[in-house]
Amino acid sequence: MTTTAVARPTPGGTTKARRKRVVGLGVLACLLVVAGAASLAVGARALTPAEVWHGLFAAPDADQRLTEIRLIVRTVRVPRTVLAVVAGVALGVGGALIQGYTRNPIADTGLLGVNSGASFAVVSGIALFGLTDPFQYVWLAFAGAAVAGVVVFGLASIGRGAGNPLTLALAGQGVTVFLAAMTTAVALTDKASLNALRFWNAGSVAGVGFDVIWPVTAFIAAGLVLALTTLPAVNLLNLGDDVARGLGVNVALIRTVGIVSITLLAGAATAACGPIAFIGLMVAHVARYLTGPDYRWLVPYAGLLGAVILLVCDIVGRLVVRPSELDAGVLVALLGAPFFAALVWLGKFKNA
Amino acid sequence: MNGAEVKPSGADVKADAVHPRPALTPGVRFGRVSFVWRPWIACVTLLLAAAAFLVFCLSIGVGDFPISVPRVVATLFGRGEQVDEFVIMDLRMPRALAGLVVGSALGVSGALTQAIARNPLASPDILGITSGASAVAVFLVTVSGGTAAVIADAVGLSAAALAGGLGTGLLVYFLAWRRGVDGFRLILIGISVSAAMQAITTWLLVTADIRDVARAQAWLVGSLDNRSWDEVRVAVWGTLALLVVVTCVSFQFKPLHFGDEIAAGLGVRYSAVRAVLLLCAVLLAGVAVSAAGPVPFVALVAPQVAMRLARCPTPPMAASAMVGALLLIGSDLVARTALPVSLPVGVVTAAIGGPFLVYLLVRANRR
């Protein structure tokens, strides 16, 4: 390009900014790979890379010790690593999107009622049907989350101003409040569900097998595909509904697809792990600080960041109180809060 | 100061919860104090106050020894019979008064928080008070022996929890302080600190004995059961004092909705006003916790409901106080009379308040 010509703006910013963002994505992806590898090697029993490799790929043999390692790697560490990545991506993307659709910087993935819906379904299942197996909770929780999300969006879509950000946020808050009250009411009158509720509330990526993880991953993948199709339109929605309409966006359709995708993402992640608060909110702000307000960049960043953070928190949780463990959901808030508060104090986040 | 949008007459645009008003609303002036006379807001607030008083009297009258509302009113004005006097003043008054005071404190605290943060999802729950108090209380209930037992015996659960809540609230306040308090910074810091405190609470509950968990859970919802005069007295005076401060300062508060520059141009020291009102919001939430525990959601729901009833663009203080009081006393009444199982008042407030807010939203959208 000659110096006299005026550089035409390329979509998504200048080439320099673009290159920076691509490099950033690469860095995050590398971090994710490193964290994933660490997640396989670290735990109650420390393994060498060679042992992990053997546990992953070797055929079964007679050696007692190697068989044990194979069991640990394949049935404990691989599933929780996969789930941490999948749920982290889902919560990160969901957090960025819910803030986009409600235009509210303090919206979190729980706002659509997915957390309270899932919790209510779980305690009701225990109190009414005497469920005891966590495997049974998963689908019940997913159903509860999905129903809550649909109810919130349905209520916010009645009449004029359908699904406008303020109504959506407040309707979500109202339904969440109601379901939380019902959950507490059941838990206070039924000791078994109270007992299950406290473990459920801690939010963990451990203890779930692939029989749950694959279907959950399928739902999350569907949510991701839907979410990615709406990204350019979300940018326009954030200019205001009227502007978006004028630019040819089908506002109602995009909102519906967006909310369905958030419900799928957050609902499936919550069903598999229990409620993990704060991660979606935190990641959305950090991603916005790194990429700017363009959702086509912000959302992928948020997804990768979410996965890295959840993995790291799970690893730390295995190390701090050996031989027992701290749940990842608890650590996300304990570790994340000081970092996030420091960034806020330094004025890194804009009021989106 | 007229903070409402003035619509051109004949325009059929109608914003959510704002009604077109004539451009000139008459002002009322008493010496140095003046305010805009808005009949609708005044009427709504008065009606809410009357309803709150009625439910307050009903609540006092209900029990093993039923007393009719006229007799309750007579007794309140010092003209009742001796038996009524004893039952009401010594036995039932503390509970009803706690409901009244906690409800108004939470309503005003919520209105202040939402107005300062300019965010309808903001509530004192994210100022750290409730989460801090809850973490301390659950720690004292579930960790037996050692320091916990010493603290619990020395000062009592409620006092220790209150100290924890106020400590957390002030921590949030000072962390958010950087050349003045900024609403956005405050809510993000508040959310972070609250999230950490809730994580601690969750973890304590996971590791605790199930019997302690039930006790802790009951405390976490907030309750008005078995209040004595001693527990209520501090809350009553504290709330009254804080409400006086809020009333005096709130005259300076209206212009803040236009942004700091305009407020400064109108002669408002916005930084000082915001700092004082936020501190009031923190303390009001603390007072509420001291009398009833961390009653959730009242502070979040009451201002939003009051806004829609009074058709105000911003959370109205007096109406929020009345809605909060009505919600809390009414829920307490429902919890004591209509429910088959006994549930803490906090559960009922959320079960009633959440759906009512949704109903108001849907109604506004359908018009």
Side-chain angles (χ1 to χ4, degrees), chain A residues 120 123-124 126-128 181-195 197, chain B residues 214 217-218 221 339-344 347:
Chain A
F120 179 60
V123 293
S124 309
I126 295 163
L128 295 175
M182 292 292 122
T183 306
T184 311
V186 174
L188 283 178
T189 46
D190 181 85
K191 209 155 222 165
S193 55
L194 175 66
N195 198 23
L197 183 68
Chain B
Q217 190 73 35
V221 189
L339 291 183
V341 284
S342 117
L343 284 174
V347 173

Side-chain angles (χ1 to χ4, degrees), chain A residues 224-272:
Chain A
L224 278 178
V225 170
L226 286 180
L228 294 177
T229 59
T230 62
L231 294 189
V234 178
N235 283 339
L236 299 179
L237 272 185
N238 273 298
L239 300 170
D241 291 5
D242 297 342
V243 176
R245 259 188 216 101
L247 291 168
V249 176
N250 182 341
V251 173
L253 176 72
I254 290 296
R255 271 212 183 108
T256 310
V257 174
I259 301 299
V260 167
S261 72
I262 296 168
T263 306
L264 280 173
L265 291 166
T270 306

